[in-house]
Coordinates of all heavy atoms in Angstrom, one line a residue:
M1 N 71.4 100.3 124.6 CA 71.1 101.7 124.7 C 69.6 102.0 124.5 O 69.1 102.9 125.0 CB 71.9 102.5 123.7 CG 73.4 102.4 124.0 SD 74.0 103.6 125.2 CE 75.7 103.2 125.1
D2 N 69.0 101.1 123.7 CA 67.5 101.4 123.4 C 66.8 101.3 124.7 O 65.8 102.0 124.9 CB 67.0 100.3 122.5 CG 67.2 100.7 121.0 OD1 67.6 101.9 120.8 OD2 66.9 99.9 120.2
S3 N 67.2 100.4 125.7 CA 66.4 100.3 126.9 C 66.6 101.6 127.7 O 65.6 102.0 128.4 CB 66.9 99.1 127.8 OG 68.3 99.3 128.1
D4 N 67.7 102.3 127.6 CA 67.9 103.6 128.3 C 66.9 104.6 127.7 O 66.3 105.4 128.4 CB 69.3 104.1 128.2 CG 70.3 103.2 128.9 OD1 70.0 102.7 130.0 OD2 71.3 102.9 128.3
L5 N 66.8 104.7 126.3 CA 65.9 105.6 125.7 C 64.4 105.2 126.0 O 63.6 106.1 126.2 CB 66.1 105.6 124.2 CG 67.4 106.3 123.7 CD1 67.6 106.1 122.2 CD2 67.3 107.8 124.0
Q6 N 64.1 103.9 126.2 CA 62.8 103.5 126.6 C 62.5 104.0 128.0 O 61.4 104.4 128.3 CB 62.6 102.0 126.5 CG 62.6 101.6 125.0 CD 62.6 100.0 124.9 OE1 62.7 99.3 125.8 NE2 62.3 99.6 123.7
E7 N 63.5 103.9 128.9 CA 63.2 104.4 130.2 C 63.0 105.9 130.2 O 62.1 106.4 130.9 CB 64.4 104.1 131.1 CG 64.2 104.5 132.6 CD 65.2 104.0 133.5 OE1 66.0 103.1 133.2 OE2 65.2 104.5 134.7
L8 N 63.8 106.7 129.4 CA 63.6 108.1 129.3 C 62.2 108.4 128.7 O 61.5 109.3 129.2 CB 64.7 108.7 128.4 CG 64.6 110.2 128.2 CD1 64.6 111.0 129.5 CD2 65.7 110.7 127.3
S9 N 61.8 107.6 127.8 CA 60.5 107.7 127.1 C 59.4 107.7 128.2 O 58.4 108.5 128.2 CB 60.2 106.6 126.1 OG 61.1 106.8 125.0
G10 N 59.5 106.7 129.1 CA 58.5 106.6 130.2 C 58.4 107.8 131.0 O 57.3 108.3 131.4
H11 N 59.6 108.4 131.4 CA 59.6 109.6 132.2 C 59.0 110.8 131.5 O 58.3 111.6 132.0 CB 61.0 109.9 132.7 CG 61.5 109.0 133.8 ND1 61.1 109.1 135.1 CD2 62.3 108.0 133.7 CE1 61.7 108.2 135.8 NE2 62.4 107.4 135.0
L12 N 59.3 110.8 130.2 CA 58.7 111.9 129.3 C 57.2 111.8 129.3 O 56.5 112.8 129.4 CB 59.3 111.9 128.0 CG 60.8 112.3 127.9 CD1 61.4 111.9 126.5 CD2 61.0 113.8 128.2
R13 N 56.7 110.6 129.1 CA 55.2 110.4 129.0 C 54.6 110.8 130.4 O 53.5 111.3 130.4 CB 54.9 108.9 128.7 CG 55.2 108.6 127.3 CD 54.7 107.2 126.9 NE 55.0 106.9 125.5 CZ 56.1 106.2 125.1 NH1 56.9 105.6 126.0 NH2 56.3 106.0 123.8
K14 N 55.2 110.5 131.5 CA 54.7 110.8 132.8 C 54.5 112.4 132.9 O 53.8 112.8 133.7 CB 55.6 110.3 133.9 CG 55.5 108.8 134.1 CD 56.5 108.3 135.1 CE 56.5 106.8 135.2 NZ 57.5 106.3 136.1
R15 N 55.3 113.1 132.1 CA 55.2 114.5 132.1 C 54.3 115.1 131.0 O 54.3 116.2 130.7 CB 56.6 115.1 132.0 CG 57.4 115.0 133.3 CD 58.9 115.1 133.2 NE 59.5 115.0 134.5 CZ 59.7 113.9 135.1 NH1 59.4 112.8 134.6 NH2 60.3 113.9 136.3
G16 N 53.5 114.2 130.4 CA 52.5 114.6 129.5 C 53.0 114.8 128.0 O 52.3 115.3 127.2
L17 N 54.2 114.4 127.8 CA 54.8 114.6 126.4 C 54.4 113.4 125.5 O 54.3 112.3 126.0 CB 56.3 114.7 126.5 CG 56.8 116.0 127.3 CD1 58.3 115.9 127.4 CD2 56.4 117.2 126.6
R18 N 54.3 113.7 124.2 CA 54.2 112.6 123.2 C 55.6 112.2 122.9 O 56.5 113.0 122.7 CB 53.5 113.2 121.9 CG 52.1 113.6 122.1 CD 51.5 114.2 120.8 NE 52.2 115.5 120.7 CZ 52.7 115.9 119.5 NH1 52.7 115.2 118.5 NH2 53.3 117.1 119.4
V19 N 55.7 110.9 122.8 CA 57.1 110.3 122.6 C 57.0 109.2 121.4 O 56.1 108.4 121.4 CB 57.6 109.6 123.8 CG1 58.9 109.0 123.6 CG2 57.6 110.6 125.0
E20 N 58.0 109.3 120.6 CA 58.2 108.3 119.5 C 59.6 107.8 119.6 O 60.6 108.6 119.6 CB 57.9 108.9 118.2 CG 58.1 108.1 117.0 CD 58.0 108.9 115.7 OE1 57.1 109.7 115.6 OE2 58.7 108.6 114.8
L21 N 59.8 106.5 119.6 CA 61.2 106.0 119.5 C 61.3 105.2 118.2 O 60.6 104.2 118.0 CB 61.4 105.0 120.7 CG 62.8 104.4 121.0 CD1 63.8 105.5 121.1 CD2 62.8 103.5 122.2
D22 N 62.3 105.6 117.4 CA 62.4 104.9 116.1 C 63.4 103.8 116.1 O 64.2 103.7 117.0 CB 62.6 105.9 114.9 CG 63.9 106.6 115.0 OD1 64.9 106.1 115.6 OD2 64.0 107.7 114.3
A23 N 63.5 103.0 115.1 CA 64.4 101.9 115.0 C 65.9 102.3 114.9 O 66.8 101.6 115.2 CB 64.0 101.0 113.7
A24 N 66.1 103.6 114.5 CA 67.5 104.1 114.3 C 68.1 104.5 115.7 O 69.2 104.9 115.7 CB 67.5 105.2 113.3
G25 N 67.3 104.5 116.7 CA 67.8 104.8 118.1 C 67.6 106.3 118.4 O 68.3 106.9 119.2
F26 N 66.6 107.0 117.8 CA 66.3 108.4 118.1 C 65.0 108.4 118.8 O 64.0 107.8 118.4 CB 66.3 109.2 116.8 CG 67.6 109.4 116.2 CD1 68.0 108.6 115.1 CD2 68.5 110.4 116.7 CE1 69.3 108.8 114.5 CE2 69.7 110.6 116.1 CZ 70.1 109.8 115.0
L27 N 64.9 109.3 119.8 CA 63.7 109.5 120.5 C 63.2 110.9 120.1 O 64.0 111.8 120.1 CB 64.0 109.4 122.0 CG 62.8 109.6 123.0 CD1 63.1 108.8 124.2 CD2 62.6 111.0 123.3
R28 N 61.9 111.0 119.8 CA 61.3 112.3 119.5 C 60.3 112.6 120.5 O 59.4 111.8 120.8 CB 60.7 112.4 118.1 CG 61.8 112.4 117.0 CD 61.2 112.3 115.6 NE 62.2 112.0 114.7 CZ 62.8 110.9 114.4 NH1 62.3 109.8 115.1 NH2 63.7 110.7 113.5
A29 N 60.4 113.8 121.2 CA 59.4 114.2 122.2 C 58.8 115.5 121.8 O 59.5 116.4 121.3 CB 60.1 114.3 123.6
G30 N 57.5 115.6 122.0 CA 56.8 116.8 121.7 C 55.6 117.0 122.6 O 55.3 116.1 123.4
T31 N 54.9 118.2 122.5 CA 53.8 118.4 123.3 C 52.6 118.6 122.4 O 52.7 118.8 121.2 CB 53.9 119.7 124.1 OG1 53.9 120.8 123.2 CG2 55.2 119.8 124.9
S32 N 51.4 118.5 123.0 CA 50.2 118.8 122.2 C 49.8 120.3 122.3 O 48.9 120.7 121.7 CB 49.0 118.0 122.8 OG 48.8 118.2 124.1
V33 N 50.6 121.0 123.1 CA 50.4 122.5 123.3 C 51.0 123.3 122.2 O 50.4 124.3 121.8 CB 50.9 122.9 124.7 CG1 50.7 124.4 124.9 CG2 50.2 122.1 125.8
N34 N 52.1 122.9 121.7 CA 52.8 123.7 120.7 C 53.4 122.7 119.6 O 53.3 121.5 119.8 CB 53.9 124.6 121.3 CG 54.9 123.8 122.1 OD1 55.3 122.8 121.8 ND2 55.2 124.4 123.3
D35 N 54.1 123.3 118.7 CA 54.6 122.4 117.6 C 56.1 122.1 117.9 O 56.8 121.5 117.0 CB 54.5 123.1 116.3 CG 53.1 123.3 115.8 OD1 52.3 122.4 116.2 OD2 52.8 124.2 115.0
L36 N 56.6 122.3 119.0 CA 58.0 122.0 119.3 C 58.2 120.5 119.5 O 57.4 119.8 120.1 CB 58.4 122.7 120.6 CG 58.4 124.2 120.6 CD1 58.8 124.8 122.0 CD2 59.4 124.8 119.5
V37 N 59.3 120.1 118.9 CA 59.7 118.7 119.0 C 61.2 118.6 119.3 O 62.0 119.4 118.7 CB 59.4 117.9 117.7 CG1 60.0 116.4 117.8 CG2 57.9 117.8 117.4
E38 N 61.6 117.8 120.2 CA 63.0 117.6 120.5 C 63.4 116.2 120.1 O 62.7 115.2 120.5 CB 63.3 117.8 122.0 CG 64.7 118.1 122.4 CD 65.3 119.4 121.8 OE1 64.8 120.5 122.2 OE2 66.2 119.3 121.0
E39 N 64.5 116.0 119.4 CA 65.0 114.7 119.0 C 66.2 114.4 119.9 O 67.1 115.3 120.1 CB 65.5 114.7 117.6 CG 65.8 113.4 117.1 CD 66.0 113.3 115.6 OE1 65.1 113.2 114.9 OE2 67.2 113.5 115.2
I40 N 66.2 113.3 120.5 CA 67.3 112.9 121.5 C 67.9 111.6 121.1 O 67.2 110.6 120.7 CB 66.6 112.8 122.9 CG1 66.0 114.1 123.3 CG2 67.7 112.4 124.0 CD1 64.9 114.0 124.4
A41 N 69.2 111.4 121.3 CA 69.9 110.2 121.1 C 70.9 110.0 122.2 O 71.2 110.9 123.0 CB 70.6 110.3 119.7
M42 N 71.5 108.8 122.2 CA 72.6 108.5 123.1 C 73.9 108.8 122.5 O 74.1 108.4 121.3 CB 72.5 107.0 123.6 CG 71.3 106.6 124.4 SD 71.2 107.3 126.0 CE 72.6 106.6 126.8
A43 N 74.8 109.3 123.2 CA 76.2 109.5 122.8 C 77.1 109.0 123.9 O 77.3 109.7 124.9 CB 76.6 110.9 122.4
G44 N 77.5 107.7 123.8 CA 78.1 107.1 125.0 C 77.1 106.9 126.1 O 76.1 106.2 125.9
V45 N 77.3 107.5 127.2 CA 76.4 107.4 128.3 C 75.6 108.7 128.5 O 75.0 108.9 129.6 CB 77.1 107.0 129.7 CG1 77.7 105.6 129.5 CG2 78.2 108.0 130.0
R46 N 75.7 109.6 127.5 CA 75.0 110.9 127.6 C 73.8 111.0 126.7 O 73.9 110.4 125.5 CB 76.0 112.0 127.3 CG 77.2 112.0 128.1 CD 77.2 113.1 129.1 NE 78.4 113.1 129.9 CZ 78.4 113.1 131.2 NH1 77.3 113.2 131.8 NH2 79.5 113.1 131.9
Y47 N 72.8 111.7 127.1 CA 71.6 112.0 126.2 C 71.9 113.3 125.6 O 72.3 114.3 126.3 CB 70.3 112.1 127.0 CG 69.9 110.8 127.6 CD1 70.1 110.5 129.0 CD2 69.3 109.8 126.8 CE1 69.7 109.3 129.5 CE2 68.9 108.6 127.4 CZ 69.1 108.4 128.7 OH 68.7 107.2 129.3
I48 N 71.8 113.4 124.3 CA 72.1 114.7 123.6 C 70.9 115.0 122.6 O 70.3 114.0 122.1 CB 73.4 114.7 122.8 CG1 73.4 113.6 121.8 CG2 74.6 114.6 123.7 CD1 74.5 113.7 120.7
T49 N 70.7 116.2 122.3 CA 69.7 116.6 121.4 C 70.3 116.6 120.0 O 71.5 116.5 119.8 CB 69.2 118.0 121.7 OG1 70.2 119.0 121.4 CG2 68.7 118.2 123.1
A50 N 69.4 116.8 119.0 CA 69.9 116.8 117.6 C 70.8 118.0 117.3 O 71.7 118.0 116.4 CB 68.7 116.9 116.6
L51 N 70.7 119.0 118.2 CA 71.6 120.2 118.0 C 72.9 120.0 118.8 O 73.7 121.0 118.9 CB 70.8 121.5 118.5 CG 69.6 121.9 117.7 CD1 68.9 123.0 118.3 CD2 70.1 122.2 116.2
G52 N 73.0 118.9 119.5 CA 74.3 118.6 120.2 C 74.3 119.1 121.7 O 75.3 119.0 122.3
H53 N 73.1 119.5 122.2 CA 73.0 119.9 123.6 C 72.9 118.7 124.5 O 72.1 117.8 124.2 CB 71.9 120.9 123.8 CG 71.9 122.1 123.0 ND1 71.0 122.5 122.1 CD2 72.9 123.1 123.0 CE1 71.3 123.6 121.6 NE2 72.5 124.0 122.1
E54 N 73.7 118.7 125.5 CA 73.6 117.6 126.4 C 72.5 117.7 127.4 O 72.3 118.8 128.0 CB 74.9 117.4 127.3 CG 74.9 116.3 128.2 CD 76.2 116.1 129.0 OE1 77.3 116.4 128.4 OE2 76.1 115.8 130.2
I55 N 71.6 116.7 127.5 CA 70.5 116.7 128.4 C 70.8 116.1 129.7 O 70.3 116.5 130.8 CB 69.3 115.9 127.7 CG1 68.9 116.6 126.4 CG2 68.1 115.8 128.7 CD1 68.3 118.0 126.6
G56 N 71.7 115.2 129.8 CA 72.1 114.5 131.0 C 72.7 113.2 130.7 O 73.1 112.9 129.6
E57 N 72.8 112.4 131.8 CA 73.5 111.1 131.6 C 72.7 109.9 132.0 O 71.7 110.1 132.7 CB 74.8 111.1 132.5 CG 74.6 111.3 133.9 CD 75.8 111.4 134.7 OE1 76.9 111.9 134.2 OE2 75.8 111.1 135.9
Q58 N 73.1 108.8 131.5 CA 72.4 107.5 131.7 C 72.3 107.3 133.2 O 73.2 107.6 134.0 CB 73.3 106.4 131.1 CG 72.7 105.0 131.2 CD 73.7 104.1 130.6 OE1 74.9 104.3 130.4 NE2 73.2 102.9 130.3
G59 N 71.1 106.9 133.7 CA 70.9 106.7 135.1 C 70.2 107.9 135.7 O 69.8 107.8 136.9
R60 N 70.1 109.0 135.0 CA 69.4 110.2 135.5 C 68.2 110.6 134.6 O 68.0 111.7 134.3 CB 70.4 111.3 135.5 CG 71.7 111.0 136.3 CD 71.6 111.2 137.7 NE 71.3 112.6 138.0 CZ 71.0 113.0 139.2 NH1 71.1 112.2 140.2 NH2 70.7 114.3 139.4
E61 N 67.5 109.6 134.2 CA 66.4 109.8 133.2 C 65.3 110.7 133.7 O 64.8 111.5 132.9 CB 65.8 108.4 132.8 CG 66.7 107.6 131.8 CD 67.9 106.9 132.5 OE1 67.9 106.8 133.8 OE2 68.8 106.4 131.8
A62 N 64.9 110.7 134.9 CA 63.9 111.5 135.4 C 64.3 113.0 135.3 O 63.5 113.9 134.9 CB 63.5 111.2 136.9
T63 N 65.6 113.3 135.7 CA 66.1 114.6 135.6 C 66.2 115.1 134.1 O 65.8 116.2 133.8 CB 67.5 114.7 136.3 OG1 67.3 114.4 137.6 CG2 68.0 116.1 136.2
C64 N 66.6 114.2 133.3 CA 66.7 114.5 131.8 C 65.3 114.8 131.3 O 65.1 115.7 130.5 CB 67.2 113.3 131.1 SG 68.9 112.9 131.4
A65 N 64.3 114.1 131.7 CA 62.9 114.3 131.3 C 62.4 115.7 131.7 O 61.8 116.4 130.9 CB 62.0 113.2 131.8
E66 N 62.8 116.1 132.9 CA 62.4 117.5 133.3 C 63.1 118.5 132.4 O 62.4 119.5 132.1 CB 62.9 117.7 134.8 CG 62.0 117.0 135.8 CD 62.4 117.4 137.2 OE1 63.2 118.3 137.4 OE2 61.9 116.7 138.1
R67 N 64.3 118.3 132.1 CA 65.0 119.3 131.2 C 64.4 119.3 129.8 O 64.2 120.4 129.2 CB 66.5 118.9 131.1 CG 67.2 119.1 132.4 CD 68.7 118.7 132.2 NE 69.3 118.9 133.5 CZ 70.2 118.1 134.0 NH1 70.6 117.0 133.3 NH2 70.7 118.3 135.2
V68 N 64.0 118.2 129.3 CA 63.4 118.1 128.0 C 62.0 118.8 128.0 O 61.7 119.6 127.1 CB 63.2 116.7 127.5 CG1 62.4 116.6 126.2 CG2 64.6 116.0 127.2
A69 N 61.2 118.6 129.0 CA 59.9 119.2 129.2 C 60.1 120.7 129.3 O 59.4 121.5 128.7 CB 59.2 118.7 130.4
H70 N 61.2 121.2 130.0 CA 61.4 122.6 130.1 C 61.8 123.2 128.7 O 61.3 124.2 128.3 CB 62.6 122.9 131.0 CG 63.0 124.3 131.2 ND1 62.2 125.2 131.9 CD2 64.0 124.9 130.7 CE1 62.8 126.4 131.8 NE2 63.9 126.2 131.0
L71 N 62.6 122.5 127.9 CA 63.0 122.9 126.6 C 61.8 123.1 125.7 O 61.8 123.9 124.8 CB 64.0 122.0 126.0 CG 65.4 122.0 126.5 CD1 66.3 120.9 125.9 CD2 66.1 123.3 126.2
L72 N 60.9 122.2 125.9 CA 59.7 122.1 125.0 C 58.6 123.1 125.5 O 57.5 123.1 124.9 CB 59.1 120.7 124.9 CG 60.0 119.8 124.1 CD1 59.5 118.3 124.2 CD2 60.2 120.2 122.7
A73 N 58.8 123.8 126.6 CA 57.8 124.7 127.2 C 56.6 123.9 127.5 O 55.5 124.4 127.3 CB 57.6 125.9 126.3
A74 N 56.7 122.7 128.0 CA 55.6 121.9 128.3 C 54.9 122.3 129.6 O 55.6 122.8 130.5 CB 56.0 120.4 128.5
P75 N 53.6 122.2 129.7 CA 53.0 122.5 131.0 C 53.5 121.6 132.1 O 53.9 120.5 131.8 CB 51.5 122.2 130.8 CG 51.3 122.2 129.3 CD 52.7 121.8 128.7
V76 N 53.7 122.2 133.3 CA 54.3 121.4 134.4 C 53.4 120.2 134.8 O 52.2 120.4 135.1 CB 54.5 122.3 135.6 CG1 55.0 121.5 136.8 CG2 55.4 123.5 135.2
Q77 N 54.0 119.1 134.7 CA 53.4 117.8 135.1 C 54.5 117.1 135.8 O 55.5 116.7 135.2 CB 52.8 117.0 134.0 CG 51.7 117.6 133.3 CD 51.0 116.6 132.4 OE1 51.1 115.4 132.5 NE2 50.3 117.2 131.4
T78 N 54.4 116.9 137.1 CA 55.5 116.3 137.9 C 55.5 114.8 137.7 O 54.5 114.2 137.5 CB 55.4 116.7 139.4 OG1 54.2 116.2 139.9 CG2 55.5 118.2 139.5
G79 N 56.6 114.3 137.9 CA 56.8 112.8 137.9 C 57.9 112.5 138.9 O 58.4 113.4 139.5
P80 N 58.3 111.3 139.0 CA 59.4 110.9 140.0 C 60.7 111.6 139.6 O 61.0 111.8 138.4 CB 59.5 109.4 139.9 CG 58.8 109.0 138.6 CD 57.9 110.1 138.3
R81 N 61.5 111.9 140.5 CA 62.7 112.6 140.3 C 63.9 111.6 140.7 O 63.7 110.7 141.5 CB 62.9 113.8 141.1 CG 61.9 114.9 140.7 CD 62.1 116.2 141.3 NE 61.2 117.1 140.7 CZ 61.2 118.4 141.1 NH1 62.1 118.8 141.9 NH2 60.4 119.2 140.5
D82 N 65.0 111.9 140.1 CA 66.2 111.0 140.5 C 66.6 111.4 141.9 O 66.5 112.5 142.3 CB 67.4 111.3 139.5 CG 67.1 110.9 138.1 OD1 66.5 109.8 137.9 OD2 67.4 111.7 137.2
R83 N 67.2 110.4 142.6 CA 67.7 110.7 143.9 C 69.1 111.4 143.7 O 69.8 111.1 142.8 CB 67.9 109.4 144.6 CG 66.6 108.7 145.0 CD 66.9 107.4 145.7 NE 65.6 106.8 145.9 CZ 65.3 106.3 147.1 NH1 66.1 106.4 148.1 NH2 64.1 105.8 147.3
T84 N 69.3 112.3 144.6 CA 70.6 113.1 144.5 C 71.7 112.5 145.5 O 72.8 113.0 145.4 CB 70.4 114.6 144.8 OG1 69.8 114.7 146.1 CG2 69.5 115.2 143.8
S85 N 71.3 111.6 146.3 CA 72.3 111.0 147.2 C 72.9 109.7 146.7 O 72.5 109.1 145.8 CB 71.8 110.9 148.6 OG 70.6 110.1 148.6

């Protein structure tokens, strides 16, 4: 599962977010624009926030990264998107 969080980390970085992945399996993402930080973990094949909000599912990391960036009110920086077909 750590590799999934690492992949999500890469997509978050492409969107200009600061990312930290700890040994306990939690990913923390934030911006340099504001003090907002989102903590993300895996629950089965789903990415969830510390508040229990589902961000998306394994294999859809680019889309999850867009959602996290939106939650953090990050300036728009585009990156690759997941294919929908």
Side-chain angles (χ1 to χ4, degrees):
M1 297 275 181
D2 274 352
S3 63
D4 298 318
L5 287 173
Q6 288 174 352
E7 184 172 345
L8 178 57
S9 294
H11 286 284
L12 292 167
R13 284 186 184 103
K14 288 176 187 174
R15 285 162 178 78
L17 297 172
R18 291 176 292 132
V19 179
E20 174 188 324
L21 185 59
D22 69 20
F26 290 97
L27 183 151
R28 288 175 192 81
T31 71
S32 58
V33 177
N34 54 44
D35 292 332
L36 297 176
V37 174
E38 196 66 66
E39 189 171 272
I40 302 159
M42 295 291 296
V45 296
R46 306 251 181 232
Y47 295 102
I48 59 166
T49 68
L51 296 175
H53 298 120
E54 183 179 321
I55 298 298
E57 62 188 22
Q58 183 180 18
R60 307 279 297 175
E61 286 77 12
T63 301
C64 294
E66 285 184 12
R67 290 181 183 138
V68 172
H70 178 76
L71 288 173
L72 293 172
V76 176
Q77 292 191 21
T78 60
R81 295 188 175 184
D82 294 317
R83 293 179 183 229
T84 57
S85 55

